[in-house]
């Protein structure tokens, strides 16, 4: 294998590692953050093998592979974890998912995407609407969600 | 910021759902989340996946990994979804026109204010009396709206451009309110805030207006 190919492979793996690190950070769970070094080692090793077998593999393909492996690694580790509760009890999390389910599309989709960490511009792209429209829908949906949570908290 | 009910708080709570609420299969292949964000799935399939992500916290986790890994950055490079046949474009235009007319006749759901949240219903008659693009001084940030027939009170909620709560009025009978300067202190000049009016009727039902905008001087 040529030095050029090796250098290209190192570059691809380095960029995939950066993206993977960012992806794991976006999960927003402490136990995933704690396991991220281990998950990255595991995923990057498999990505390295895949690149060795097919050096012409496109970077986008390697990223897609790393993504899939990372999701599998997280899910495999979840089974080993004891049942967890949220910071203020599991009911709040249940209420949030229930609140989302009570919204109608496109509000439900907009709120889901925004709370999953997307920007307004990204929500607009994913919903196929203008940014200004996405802005209005997100506001409406988040406000409705807050009202739902507030009403439930008052009941409790 | 992790203020209760703030965006960061809601995002964190949603993330933690995966640890609290068990996965409820059957779930889509996670690779589809990558494809959806990359832009190589059609709009209908993408909407189905987003719908699933909202119900299934474990898949929300996979969705966030894809987002964090920059799947959306690949959209420009990704091939567009299957091109539409030329004849479909005028056909779609006719369909949109029909749906629009049906919506105007009250037959379609449209994209109006949500009607599904508890007892909240449309408050179509409430309109903003504030120009969106004319900056309002912080010391006199006055919001005003048209009255709703039969309203027994109004609550106004103001949020930042990032949808963080800025100010909520106590119930009022007036059709105007002034946002205190201190509530606006953290907002930069030129920030567009979003506000809405919730009108209460004699039966205790809430009527939520569309979202309005105002600009901070």
């Amino acid at each position: 294998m040529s030095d050029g190919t090796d250098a290209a492979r190192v570059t691809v793996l380095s960029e995939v590692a950066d993206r993977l690190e960012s992806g794991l950070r976006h999960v927003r769970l402490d136990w995933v953050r704690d396991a991220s070094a281990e998950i990255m080692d595991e995923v990057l090793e498999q990505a390295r093998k895949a690149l060795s077998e097919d050096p012409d593999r496109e970077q986008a393909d390697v990223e897609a592979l790393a993504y899939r492996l990372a999701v599998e690694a997280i899910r495999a580790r979840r089974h080993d974890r004891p049942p967890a509760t949220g910071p203020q009890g599991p009911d709040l999390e249940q209420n949030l998912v229930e609140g989302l389910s009570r919204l109608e599309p496109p509000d439900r989709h907009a709120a889901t995407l925004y709370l999953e960490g997307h920007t307004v511009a990204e929500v607009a792209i994913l919903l196929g609407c203008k940014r200004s429209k996405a802005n209005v829908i997100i506001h409406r949906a988040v406000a409705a969600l807050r009202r739902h949570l507030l009403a439930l908290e008052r009941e409790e | 910021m992790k203020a209760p009910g703030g965006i960061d708080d809601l995002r964190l709570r949603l993330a933690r759902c995966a640890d609290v609420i068990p996965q409820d299969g059957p779930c889509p292949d996670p690779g589809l989340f990558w494809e959806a964000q990359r832009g190589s799935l059609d709009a209908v399939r993408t909407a189905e996946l987003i719908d699933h992500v909202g119900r299934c916290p474990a898949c929300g986790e996979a969705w966030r990994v894809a987002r964090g890994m920059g799947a959306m950055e690949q959209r420009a490079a990704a091939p567009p979804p299957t091109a539409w046949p030329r004849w479909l474009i005028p056909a779609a235009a006719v369909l949109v026109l029909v749906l629009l007319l049906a919506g105007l006749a009250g037959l379609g759901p449209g994209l109006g204010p949500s009607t599904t949240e508890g007892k909240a219903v449309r408050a179509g008659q409430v309109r903003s009396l504030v120009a969106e693009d004319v900056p309002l001084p912080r010391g006199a940030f006055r919001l005003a709206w048209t009255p709703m027939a039969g309203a027994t009170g109004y609550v106004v909620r103001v949020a930042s451009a990032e949808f963080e709560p800025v100010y909520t009025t106590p119930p009022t009978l007036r059709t105007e309110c002034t946002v205190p300067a201190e509530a606006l202190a953290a907002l930069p000049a030129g920030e567009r805030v979003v506000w809405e009016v919730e009108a209460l009727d004699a039966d205790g039902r809430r009527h939520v207006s569309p979202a309005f905008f105002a600009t901070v001087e």
Side-chain angles (χ1 to χ4, degrees), chain B residues 131-147:
Chain B
E132 288 189 358
D133 297 322
V134 178
L136 300 175
R138 290 164 194 268
F141 203 90
R142 180 179 162 276
L143 303 176
W145 56 94
T146 58

Side-chain angles (χ1 to χ4, degrees), chain B residues 27-50:
Chain B
C27 292
D29 184 305
L32 287 173
F33 300 144
W34 184 268
E35 295 300 322
Q37 293 188 40
R38 192 168 172 255
S40 44
L41 290 186
D42 62 70
V44 174
R45 191 78 183 102
T46 301
E48 286 172 357
L49 291 171
I50 296 169

